[in-house]
Amino acid sequence: MPTYRFEAVDETTGRPVVGTLQASDEQSLQRLLHSRGFMVKRIVSAVDTPAQVSSPPQQTDRRAERAVASLHARAVFFRQLASLFRAGNNPANALSQIADQPSMPESLQAAARAMLANAHLGQPLSQALEMFPRLFAPHVVGMFRAGELGGSLDIICDEIAAHYEQEHALWRKLWIPRLLLLNGVGMLMLVLPLFPAFYYGMARGNPSLFYQRYVELLLTRSLPAFVLMAVLGWAIWWLLDLPANRRWKDAVVMRLPVFGTLNRQRALTAFLRTLHRMFAAGVPVISAWEASAPSAGNVFVREKLIEVLPVIRNGQGLDRALQATGLFDWETISLVAAGQQSGEIATMLDRAASYHEETLRERYQRASFALIRLGCLSMLLLGGAAMLWMVYTYFTGMFRFVDEFFGAP
């Protein structure tokens, strides 16, 4: 059965709708959309099914692969897209307005221009997002593709923006642990050459040599060690951010006490919310699951969600599929099972997603406190290391000075 990309208008709200649906022909697609309350403006035939659309992305140029932007800038990008879609702009008009904004970062302008080119060609906008792997993570592309399929791009763009805003708010709180960490590192750096320089001046009977020796050791030992630590930390962060290392990064994050639970909960929340959007738009069960699974922000969660597709294809129901993943608690599975029995699966998925969103907010709060505790612990450890070094160099230098002063063998 062919897949069609369509542009329509919701007759009840007046908002534009862009998406893809499977139908035997264009007349069947028009009847299906009309039954859902949509007025069709344009239909484009597509050869890709939803499962094929999620195949490996097209070839990208080097500049697009290296493009980056801040979390705040990406949140503004998707928030503007959602606002323009709700205002009645079609994708081409909305993207052209964003691409011409001088205040928008150059990387996001390039992404908007790539999406605009796809809109003119009648191709999915999500394919253009795949050209920027460092700018848009796979789960963001998956959420956007699901919005195209379900005809709810404005809502999905708002949810992507909210995702970036939550991440930005979390990382903004890093200033406290950063300050504590820098305080500990600075303390250690200033203390390391203190007593060796002090006894160097005393042994030569010239206290003024202490200051010269201290500055010399500070510039030749402490400062290079500090710069090396900073460069090493930046290199590790840069390597973890590369798309090729995303799987390894997710594996490391999943093993962290607080942040692993946060990462897992965020992936499950995005999946359930996207799945609810698919069912609310009337997308068939298999296509809805296929479109929603890539929205999970963790590689291992995505893989488990994709692995249980045969359960749905065998007609065993959503509750059995959720249970087979081993990722969801019994409250979520019970809600979905009740929705299947009562015929209100979309409503129950909405409740399950809301329940996970509440849990996610709690996890974000715990992660914020964990960052502060981590900063305090780092400062205490570095301060303790500085104190131990002071004691060691003090007594070592004193004994050596006494031995040299009295001429001990």
Side-chain angles (χ1 to χ4, degrees):
M1 183 179 296
T3 301
Y4 293 88
R5 183 176 181 273
F6 66 88
E7 295 180 9
V9 176
D10 192 332
E11 295 180 344
T12 58
T13 62
R15 65 178 177 85
V17 177
V18 180
T20 56
L21 282 176
Q22 288 183 316
S24 56
D25 50 37
E26 292 189 10
Q27 290 75 20
S28 301
L29 178 63
Q30 288 183 349
R31 289 194 296 269
L32 177 60
L33 292 173
H34 182 71
S35 65
R36 298 181 183 176
F38 296 147
M39 182 177 67
V40 181
K41 295 177 60 179
R42 180 167 171 259
I43 295 178
V44 180
S45 177
V47 297
D48 293 328
T49 63
Q52 291 170 328
V53 169
S54 60
S55 58
Q58 56 195 28
Q59 294 293 326
T60 61
D61 58 78
R62 301 289 295 178
R63 292 183 62 186
E65 289 178 348
R66 294 193 298 265
V68 293
S70 66
L71 293 171
H72 176 69
R74 282 176 275 182
V76 171
F77 175 81
F78 283 103
R79 193 67 77 185
Q80 288 187 357
L81 269 182
S83 178
L84 290 169
F85 287 151
R86 275 195 302 271
N89 294 277
N90 59 39
N93 289 340
L95 291 166
S96 61
Q97 293 183 48
I98 293 179
D100 295 334
Q101 286 185 11
S103 59
M104 187 68 65
E106 183 179 350
S107 57
L108 291 174
Q109 287 183 359
R113 287 192 290 269
M115 295 168 70
L116 181 60
N118 277 31
H120 288 314
L121 295 173
Q123 297 176 354
L125 304 182
S126 55
Q127 287 186 359
L129 296 182
E130 290 179 320
M131 297 170 59
F132 301 83
R134 295 193 66 185
L135 199 57
F136 306 111
H139 68 280
V140 173
V141 179
M143 291 177 68
F144 196 91
R145 182 179 293 121
E148 290 180 310
L149 177 62
S152 56
L153 267 180
D154 57 337
I155 300 175
I156 291 295
C157 284
D158 266 331
E159 292 179 355
I160 294 175
H163 161 75
Y164 281 127
E165 287 166 355
Q166 286 178 329
E167 289 291 294
H168 178 63
L170 178 63
W171 290 114
R172 278 186 63 184
K173 296 177 181 177
L174 268 177
W175 73 270
I176 297 178
R178 282 176 187 166
L179 182 61
L180 295 173
L181 181 61
L182 287 175
N183 185 31
V185 172
M187 183 191 309
L188 187 62
M189 184 179 69
L190 294 174
V191 163
L192 286 178
L194 182 61
F195 285 112
F198 174 73
Y199 287 114
Y200 177 84
M202 288 187 62
R204 284 154 182 78
N206 188 358
S208 63
L209 293 177
F210 159 71
Y211 301 102
Q212 298 178 8
R213 184 63 173 173
Y214 179 78
V215 173
E216 179 185 349
L217 293 176
L218 190 66
L219 295 178
T220 58
R221 295 186 183 180
S222 296
L223 189 59
F226 177 77
V227 172
L228 180 62
M229 289 173 56
V231 171
L232 184 61
W234 178 85
I236 293 174
W237 185 268
W238 183 80
L239 287 172
L240 288 176
D241 196 47
L242 289 177
N245 298 328
R246 205 161 265 152
R247 183 183 181 85
W248 186 81
K249 175 184 175 181
D250 285 349
V252 172
V253 172
M254 287 286 282
R255 287 173 170 81
L256 297 178
V258 177
F259 300 98
T261 307
L262 171 65
N263 189 272
R264 180 176 178 272
Q265 185 65 36
R266 186 175 57 194
L268 297 181
T269 302
F271 168 74
L272 287 173
R273 180 55 68 191
T274 307
L275 189 62
H276 161 249
R277 300 294 181 205
M278 296 296 98
F279 273 90
V283 179
V285 178
I286 298 177
S287 299
W289 190 283
E290 288 178 338
S292 302
S295 66
N298 185 278
V299 172
F300 300 97
V301 173
R302 282 200 300 270
E303 289 177 351
K304 286 184 176 292
L305 292 172
I306 294 173
E307 285 174 1
V308 300
L309 266 173
V311 176
I312 300 178
R313 291 195 178 103
N314 293 335
Q316 297 185 34
L318 280 180
D319 58 331
R320 294 296 182 87
L322 294 176
Q323 186 176 5
T325 62
L327 299 171
F328 298 92
D329 52 25
W330 67 270
E331 291 95 340
T332 303
I333 299 172
S334 299
L335 282 172
V336 174
Q340 288 184 147
Q341 295 173 4
S342 62
E344 298 180 349
I345 182 65
T347 303
M348 290 303 178
L349 281 172
D350 183 29
R351 292 184 182 179
S354 299
Y355 163 73
H356 278 263
E357 285 169 353
E358 287 290 333
T359 307
L360 181 61
R361 280 190 284 270
E362 179 187 349
R363 298 298 179 188
Y364 268 111
Q365 292 179 355
R366 292 186 181 182
S368 300
F369 290 129
L371 286 174
I372 297 175
R373 290 195 296 267
L374 187 61
C376 293
L377 179 62
S378 301
M379 188 187 70
L380 291 174
L381 290 176
L382 291 172
M387 184 61 67
L388 290 174
W389 178 258
M390 287 178 62
V391 172
Y392 171 76
T393 54
Y394 174 77
F395 285 104
T396 302
M398 179 184 292
F399 295 148
R400 184 181 298 115
F401 173 76
V402 171
D403 290 341
E404 292 176 358
F405 184 80
F406 288 103

